[in-house]
Amino acid sequence: NISIASAFDVQNAMDDPNAIVLDVRSVDEIIEQGHLQVDRQWIHAECTCSPGGWQQQDACPLLRVAAESLIPDKSTPVIVYSTTWGKRAALAKQILHQKGYTHVLNAGAFSNLGYLQIYKDANI
């Protein structure tokens, strides 16, 4: 059972100027679909859905080994999204929680985040 944050909760988290947007899609998915152009820090840390299951130990290697370097403040709001159902975002959220991050939201699918366009930076 994957819990997706409401648009209201995601927007509230985005109101924090220190919020981080974490994209866990593959590079190919980002090239094909684009990425959120927000005026918050955007981080790419790919998580995979391999045949062995999306909860494999190696599914989010960068987050497992370098989360603290990517996101030093564990109280910073982190908004995570993936491509479709938010499975990879849920896994990333779980990993971050295990590492002590306290404000991680699974925003679900990239295609459902159009409401974040109000944060779009026209200069990007």
Side-chain angles (χ1 to χ4, degrees):
N1 189 10
I2 296 173
S3 175
I4 307 293
S6 70
F8 178 81
D9 288 342
V10 171
Q11 287 180 317
N12 278 342
M14 288 290 288
D15 285 342
D16 185 323
N18 297 313
I20 291 175
V21 177
L22 177 60
D23 188 334
V24 297
R25 298 174 299 154
S26 70
V27 171
D28 288 342
E29 289 169 321
I30 294 169
I31 290 169
E32 180 182 312
Q33 301 164 5
H35 70 280
L36 286 180
Q37 296 179 354
V38 293
D39 62 353
R40 300 290 180 263
Q41 184 178 354
W42 180 87
I43 295 174
H44 175 239
E46 182 176 349
C47 294
T48 60
C49 283
S50 63
W54 64 275
Q55 291 191 0
Q56 293 184 166
Q57 285 293 83
D58 62 349
C60 295
L62 187 58
L63 285 182
R64 289 196 189 277
V65 300
E68 290 85 355
S69 295
L70 294 169
I71 310 166
D73 182 353
K74 293 186 177 187
S75 65
T76 296
V78 180
I79 298 98
V80 187
Y81 65 92
S82 53
T83 296
T84 53
W85 300 103
K87 285 184 180 181
R88 290 177 286 173
L91 178 57
K93 177 182 175 181
Q94 177 184 357
I95 290 167
L96 292 174
H97 274 291
Q98 290 170 350
K99 290 182 169 287
Y101 291 85
T102 58
H103 194 183
V104 182
L105 300 172
N106 179 350
F110 172 74
S111 60
N112 293 334
L113 298 178
Y115 61 87
L116 289 180
Q117 289 181 359
I118 60 170
Y119 296 102
K120 193 168 187 171
D121 183 343
N123 297 321
I124 293 179

